[in-house]
Amino acid sequence: FVFLKFMRFLRAIKFKFEFHNWFDELIPIQISNLTKAGVLRTDIIATGIFLGAAEAGLYSIAQKLAQPITLIARTIFAATGYLISRFYELKEYDKLYHSVWLSTLFAFVGSVFYIILVLMTGELIISAISSEYLSAFPILIILSIALFFDSVASPSSQFLLICGYPKTLILFNLGGFLIYIIFLFASANITSGISIAFSVLISLFLINFACMFLSYRVLMNITQTKSA
C-alpha cells in the first residue's frame, strides 16, 4: 500500500520528465569537468610514472600550494552563474557582456595577487615544511601561472557552458588534453617535474585562450546584433 502511494506521488510530480531535463543538463557539465580533469588531475600520476614516487611527492606539494587560485574560479561560478543564465534568457546581452567582463577582471586581479604572494612567500612556505622540498618551488611557479590562465578564463568557460556552447567547450578541453599528452610524451628526456608542469601550462593556456576568444567573439556579435 505504501509503495503504491509512493508511485502515485512520483507520477503526480512528473518525475520522468524532470529527470530527463536534469539528465540533459548534467551530462555536458560533467563531460566538460572530466575532460578538464584529464589535464588537472593526471600530472601527478605522470610524474610518478616517469620520475618515481619521490619526484611525485615534490610535485604534489607544488600542486597543493598552487591550487588555492582555483577558489577564485569557484567563487565566480557560484556568484555569477544565475546572473549569466538570467541575462541570456532575457536577451539582456549588454548586461551579460558586462557581467562576463567584470567577472574576468575580478579573476585577473585576484589571480595576479595570488601569484605575487607565491613569488614572495613560496620558498619560505616550502622551506617551513622542509628545506629538502625547495626544488618544488619552480614547479609551484609554473603551475600557478597555468592555473592563472584557468582562473581568468573561468567566466568565459561559464558563459560557453550555460549559453549554448557546452559541446564546443568539451572539444576545447579534449583538444587541450591531447596536446598535453603529446607534449608529455614528446619530452623524451624528462628529468624533473618542471617538464610535466610545462605540459600542463601549455595545454591550459591553449584551452583557455580558445574559450576567451570564442566567448568574447560571440558576446560582441550578439550585442552588436541587438544594437543594430
Side-chain angles (χ1 to χ4, degrees):
F1 176 74
V2 174
F3 177 75
L4 291 175
K5 289 187 68 175
F6 179 69
M7 292 302 296
R8 291 193 196 104
F9 171 76
L10 291 181
R11 284 194 290 269
I13 63 173
K14 300 180 180 180
F15 175 75
K16 185 175 181 180
F17 174 77
E18 293 181 2
F19 175 79
H20 280 298
N21 284 346
W22 171 82
F23 191 77
D24 291 340
E25 292 290 333
L26 178 66
I27 289 300
I29 295 173
Q30 292 304 315
I31 294 176
S32 176
N33 291 336
L34 287 172
T35 50
K36 179 67 75 67
V39 177
L40 294 174
R41 295 290 180 266
T42 62
D43 47 351
I44 292 181
I45 298 172
T47 306
I49 292 172
F50 286 107
L51 302 170
E55 193 69 27
L58 289 174
Y59 194 99
S60 177
I61 291 171
Q63 189 189 65
K64 284 180 170 59
L65 291 175
Q67 277 181 348
I69 200 171
T70 62
L71 294 175
I72 298 170
R74 294 176 190 176
T75 302
I76 291 172
F77 266 76
T80 65
Y82 166 73
L83 290 174
I84 289 176
S85 178
R86 182 172 180 271
F87 292 151
Y88 183 75
E89 288 180 2
L90 296 176
K91 297 183 179 180
E92 296 180 352
Y93 298 132
D94 290 333
K95 292 181 180 179
L96 176 62
Y97 175 84
H98 287 104
S99 178
V100 174
W101 187 87
L102 287 173
S103 299
T104 302
L105 181 62
F106 171 79
F108 177 82
V109 172
S111 300
V112 167
F113 175 78
Y114 188 78
I115 287 179
I116 292 172
L117 189 66
V118 165
L119 290 171
M120 294 177 61
T121 65
E123 284 186 307
L124 184 63
I125 294 172
I126 292 173
S127 62
I129 301 171
S130 175
S131 59
E132 296 178 356
Y133 297 152
L134 282 174
S135 56
F137 182 63
I139 302 172
L140 170 60
I141 294 174
I142 296 169
L143 290 179
S144 296
I145 295 172
L147 294 176
F148 162 82
F149 292 124
D150 201 49
S151 177
V152 171
S154 60
S156 299
S157 301
Q158 184 182 41
F159 167 77
L160 295 176
L161 193 62
I162 292 174
C163 301
Y165 296 88
K167 293 180 181 179
T168 306
L169 182 60
I170 291 169
L171 288 176
F172 286 162
N173 290 341
L174 281 173
F177 179 67
L178 290 175
I179 291 170
Y180 162 72
I181 294 296
I182 291 169
F183 271 92
L184 198 62
F185 284 96
S187 304
N189 298 318
I190 296 177
T191 57
S192 71
I194 294 175
S195 300
I196 295 172
F198 263 118
S199 299
V200 174
L201 171 61
I202 292 167
S203 60
L204 286 182
F205 170 77
L206 293 174
I207 289 171
N208 293 302
F209 177 81
C211 289
M212 292 187 72
F213 178 81
L214 177 61
S215 64
Y216 279 94
R217 185 175 178 180
V218 171
L219 283 167
M220 290 300 294
N221 286 339
I222 60 178
T223 51
Q224 289 173 0
T225 301
K226 181 184 177 182
S227 61

